[in-house]
Amino acid sequence: MPTSLKSVFGISRNVLKSYVDRQQIDEDYQDKIELTDHHIVIYGETKVGKTLLRKKYVTKDENTIVIDCTKGVNLSDIYTQILYKAGIEISESLSKSIEKCTKLDSQVEANLFQFIKAKVSGESTEKELSSETRRVNLPNTVSVRVAEALVSKEIQFIVLDDFHYLNLVDQYLLAFDLKMFYQIGLRFIIIGTKINNGYFEKFNGELAQRIDYIDATRWSKNDLLEIKKRGCRELNIDISDDVINYFVEASSHIVAVYQQLLFDYCRESGVRQSSNHQVILNDLELAIKCNKLYYKRISEEYLKRIQHIADGERKGKLKLYYYIMKIVLTSNNDVARKGFSFQYIYDNLLQIHMNKTINHGALTSVLNHFEELQTKKNVFPKVFSYYDKRLYITDSLFYYILKHFDKENIDEVLPPHDFQLSFNFNN
């Protein structure tokens, strides 16, 4: 049977035949699965291969429950889905207990949310941190009952994919349950963006040395070249070094972009499945055309998201969201990959903003509301997240957008007349 192009290159929910092990990352993950009993967090921007890494190495279907944390899901939903997928009958009393112990009084939740948000963003003061022990008591959870039911079914692993869609308060509550799950022998594999090394320990210090982190972001040039090598072998083709080097550079080392460019290039070259005779592909002009078409195809939607964010809150007199987006679009990829620090944004604001007396508090408030604004504007999936006093890109495709965005034409994306400021400096 010929091998189809769709099973070799492109973007797929399945493990492609061109999948390669990234020695340091894949082996580290496999070791943590086989040689430890810790919870595992796989993190990185979207579309870098986190879920495929989990699928390739994790566990037998019969002892693993996989939950997709879709938009709007809460901790009560997660526990209910876990029990349902394990084939455990949920009694009325257990259902009520789950709901009661994972939902807080609205005022308690609002206060707790502000506390957690300040802690994650890095804006907590020493006084606030020292008073953490005096926060309102959280309700006892039903995690013990859930865990015991799962152990009786010989469940070993719970996978939470797209964990970043779970709200901060539920993430915080889960962090305390994770210690109990660890003690009883259930392991969680958590996959998401907006997480970094030590994330859960910020919520619950007792998770130290009970949870390991895998950064799945990095793809080296050698990794990308190996994808080409394996894929070409499957299709019985060869792609010239000039074309591959162009795609590696053009993709900004984003594996999803690289895979899609290879798919588009093969398809445009007439390769839809493997053939009996080797085919040589070396049309660099076609490669450049494929990249331009791909950028055109996805940039329109991404730049609309930027416009929505730049629009900010119409009542905002300083239009800081507009100026922050202008800073983002005119920064280079090296800065973007490290995250835009508070100081970097502030220094650049002072250079380009009409008001030269912007205070730290105004900028802090805007940055702390970045996620809420994206939710309000229906920017989905979210492009940015602010934590540890940095504005991070959480969607890896945006690095590709930044690489090919024509900075000279920024006013076409963010027209100044749409974001006019009106100051009354006499007030």
Side-chain angles (χ1 to χ4, degrees):
M1 288 287 294
T3 301
S4 172
L5 172 61
K6 72 177 182 180
S7 68
V8 178
F9 293 133
I11 299 173
S12 174
R13 67 179 183 275
N14 300 314
V15 180
L16 294 166
K17 294 182 182 296
S18 61
Y19 183 93
V20 302
D21 294 348
R22 292 172 284 171
Q23 186 173 6
Q24 182 179 355
I25 294 173
D26 289 53
E27 288 184 3
D28 187 28
Y29 176 57
Q30 190 172 14
D31 284 348
K32 284 178 169 57
I33 287 289
E34 298 175 356
L35 303 179
T36 80
D37 59 0
H38 299 171
H39 299 307
I40 298 174
V41 175
I42 305 173
Y43 69 93
E45 297 103 348
T46 60
K47 306 174 188 72
V48 296
K50 301 184 298 295
T51 300
L52 290 181
L53 177 64
R54 191 276 300 173
K55 286 182 176 180
K56 185 170 178 66
Y57 287 104
V58 78
T59 53
K60 297 178 181 177
D61 290 341
E62 59 267 24
N63 63 16
T64 301
I65 301 294
V66 179
I67 302 296
D68 292 316
C69 300
T70 53
K71 188 179 180 182
V73 72
N74 58 42
L75 191 55
S76 175
D77 298 329
I78 287 174
Y79 283 160
T80 301
Q81 286 185 49
I82 289 171
L83 293 172
Y84 174 78
K85 289 191 174 185
I88 297 168
E89 184 176 350
I90 306 173
S91 66
E92 184 177 351
S93 65
L94 179 56
S95 179
K96 288 182 178 179
S97 294
I98 290 174
E99 185 170 358
K100 178 182 178 181
C101 294
T102 55
K103 292 187 178 179
L104 306 178
D105 174 86
S106 59
Q107 187 58 53
V108 171
E109 183 171 3
N111 292 338
L112 185 57
F113 174 76
Q114 292 302 323
F115 166 80
I116 300 167
K117 186 176 174 183
K119 198 168 187 179
V120 170
S121 69
E123 302 295 343
S124 296
T125 66
E126 290 299 321
K127 182 178 179 181
E128 289 169 331
L129 290 175
S130 66
S131 66
E132 179 180 3
T133 57
R134 296 194 296 274
R135 68 181 184 275
V136 64
N137 289 330
L138 301 177
N140 293 328
T141 69
V142 292
S143 53
V144 174
R145 293 178 64 185
V146 172
E148 289 175 346
L150 293 172
V151 169
S152 71
K153 290 287 187 176
E154 299 184 347
I155 301 300
Q156 296 176 10
F157 292 90
I158 307 294
V159 177
L160 300 183
D161 207 347
D162 285 335
F163 178 78
H164 44 273
Y165 291 127
L166 191 63
N167 69 60
L168 270 178
V169 172
D170 283 339
Q171 291 182 27
Y172 184 80
L173 295 176
L174 178 63
F176 287 89
D177 287 351
L178 285 176
K179 180 190 174 185
M180 186 285 309
F181 284 124
Y182 172 82
Q183 290 172 329
I184 210 166
L186 278 167
R187 300 176 66 184
F188 274 64
I189 298 172
I190 295 171
I191 304 169
T193 66
K194 301 187 292 186
I195 302 173
N196 55 5
N197 215 3
Y199 182 81
F200 286 93
E201 289 88 331
K202 289 182 179 179
F203 299 155
N204 182 5
E206 292 184 305
L207 287 175
Q209 300 184 36
R210 294 181 173 96
I211 189 165
D212 293 322
Y213 295 83
I214 304 289
D215 183 354
T217 302
R218 303 181 303 278
W219 285 86
S220 69
K221 182 175 181 179
N222 286 338
D223 294 330
L224 299 180
L225 295 179
E226 184 62 23
I227 287 174
K228 170 259 181 182
K229 182 178 178 181
R230 291 195 181 189
C232 286
R233 186 166 60 240
E234 290 287 339
L235 293 169
N236 195 23
I237 65 174
D238 191 25
I239 303 176
S240 72
D241 290 344
D242 285 347
V243 170
I244 290 299
N245 288 333
Y246 172 74
F247 281 154
V248 168
E249 178 65 21
S251 68
S252 197
H253 285 224
I254 305 304
V255 67
V257 175
Y258 179 71
Q259 281 277 13
Q260 190 60 48
L261 290 175
L262 289 173
F263 177 89
D264 291 347
Y265 183 68
C266 288
R267 184 188 58 191
E268 292 299 318
S269 299
V271 176
R272 286 170 168 74
Q273 62 182 29
S274 59
S275 63
N276 295 327
H277 304 287
Q278 189 181 52
V279 177
I280 308 297
L281 306 180
N282 57 12
D283 189 340
L284 182 58
E285 290 301 316
L286 179 60
I288 294 171
K289 177 184 176 182
C290 286
N291 180 57
K292 287 181 178 179
L293 289 174
Y294 182 63
Y295 175 76
K296 182 179 180 181
R297 192 161 74 235
I298 70 169
S299 63
E300 182 176 353
E301 175 59 31
Y302 274 86
L303 293 176
K304 280 182 181 177
R305 296 180 197 177
I306 295 301
Q307 290 171 341
H308 290 324
I309 295 170
D311 192 45
E313 300 285 355
R314 279 293 181 179
K315 62 183 180 181
K317 294 181 179 180
L318 294 176
K319 304 299 179 188
L320 291 183
Y321 287 107
Y322 162 74
Y323 281 96
I324 292 170
M325 288 300 93
K326 195 165 187 178
I327 291 168
V328 166
L329 286 179
T330 53
S331 295
N332 63 48
N333 253 320
D334 290 338
V335 172
R337 285 183 179 272
K338 293 176 183 176
F340 303 92
S341 71
F342 179 95
Q343 195 61 47
Y344 175 86
I345 295 172
Y346 183 75
D347 290 344
N348 278 273
L349 276 176
L350 294 183
Q351 293 182 33
I352 65 174
H353 202 284
M354 291 174 61
N355 184 352
K356 303 302 181 182
T357 60
I358 297 171
N359 61 55
H360 279 207
L363 179 57
T364 296
S365 178
V366 164
L367 291 171
N368 277 332
H369 284 86
F370 243 85
E371 301 221 19
E372 290 96 319
L373 179 71
Q374 290 173 93
T375 299
K376 183 177 180 180
K377 298 283 187 176
N378 202 28
V379 174
F380 181 79
K382 293 177 182 176
V383 182
F384 303 99
S385 181
Y386 182 67
Y387 58 91
D388 289 340
K389 292 192 175 182
R390 283 181 181 270
L391 184 66
Y392 287 97
I393 291 171
T394 54
D395 188 335
S396 64
L397 282 185
F398 194 65
Y399 294 125
Y400 172 72
I401 300 297
L402 284 182
K403 181 175 182 63
H404 297 280
F405 177 70
D406 185 356
K407 296 175 175 57
E408 297 297 321
N409 295 326
I410 190 169
D411 286 349
E412 295 179 11
V413 176
L414 301 177
H417 58 79
D418 284 352
F419 304 94
Q420 288 294 322
L421 305 178
S422 57
F423 294 115
N424 184 347
F425 293 107
N426 294 320
N427 292 339

